[in-house]
Amino acid sequence: MTSSTQPTAAPATEAPSTATSATGAPSTGARNTPARVSFWSAAMGVSLVVAVFVTPIFWLMYGGFYTFGVFVCGLVAIPAGHLGRRRGKRLGGRDRGLALLAILTGWLLLLCGLLLVLAYAGVVAGLAVLVGSAS
């Protein structure tokens, strides 16, 4: 059995106003207002711009300390990882994967520290060439 129900018509809505602006052009009622930006969005944008400019300056000024810290962390992580692997073997293989991760991270830190030393030496040498050519 089929029933034929007809959808009801939607209620009539009012037509948009046709007010005119000062120039005589039709206006739809919307005003040209500035976009609303939250305080945190603006603060994060400004912070990002500042960080882009400040980070290289700090790296040039304090790069030796950062590099020393990277080397020390790497030198601590490698023996600690080996000790953890040995202890894990005695305990039946527990946490041996984490110790292996410490070993790999230590070697990666040493590699990154070496690259930082080379980059820092390259920057200093490049600046020396620029200063030498300017005088």
Side-chain angles (χ1 to χ4, degrees):
M1 181 169 187
T2 62
S3 66
S4 61
T5 57
Q6 297 292 332
T8 59
T13 59
E14 293 182 16
S17 68
T18 57
T20 58
S21 66
T23 59
S27 172
T28 59
R31 294 185 350 213
N32 188 9
T33 59
R36 293 185 180 181
V37 177
S38 72
F39 170 77
W40 291 110
S41 296
M44 294 306 268
V46 169
S47 299
L48 179 64
V49 170
V50 168
V52 165
F53 288 108
V54 169
T55 302
I57 293 169
F58 279 124
W59 185 76
L60 285 174
M61 290 178 3
Y62 304 113
F65 296 120
Y66 296 148
T67 306
F68 178 74
V70 167
F71 270 121
V72 169
C73 289
L75 289 176
V76 169
I78 293 170
H82 283 292
L83 289 173
R85 296 272 295 175
R86 186 178 308 147
R87 183 172 182 231
K89 188 185 281 188
R90 276 188 296 166
L91 295 176
R94 191 169 168 204
D95 290 334
R96 291 189 76 198
L98 190 61
L100 179 63
L101 183 65
I103 294 169
L104 293 175
T105 303
W107 283 110
L108 184 66
L109 284 172
L110 287 179
L111 177 68
C112 288
L114 179 64
L115 290 175
L116 281 172
V117 167
L118 292 175
Y120 199 70
V123 167
V124 170
L127 288 173
V129 168
L130 287 175
V131 168
S133 66
S135 58

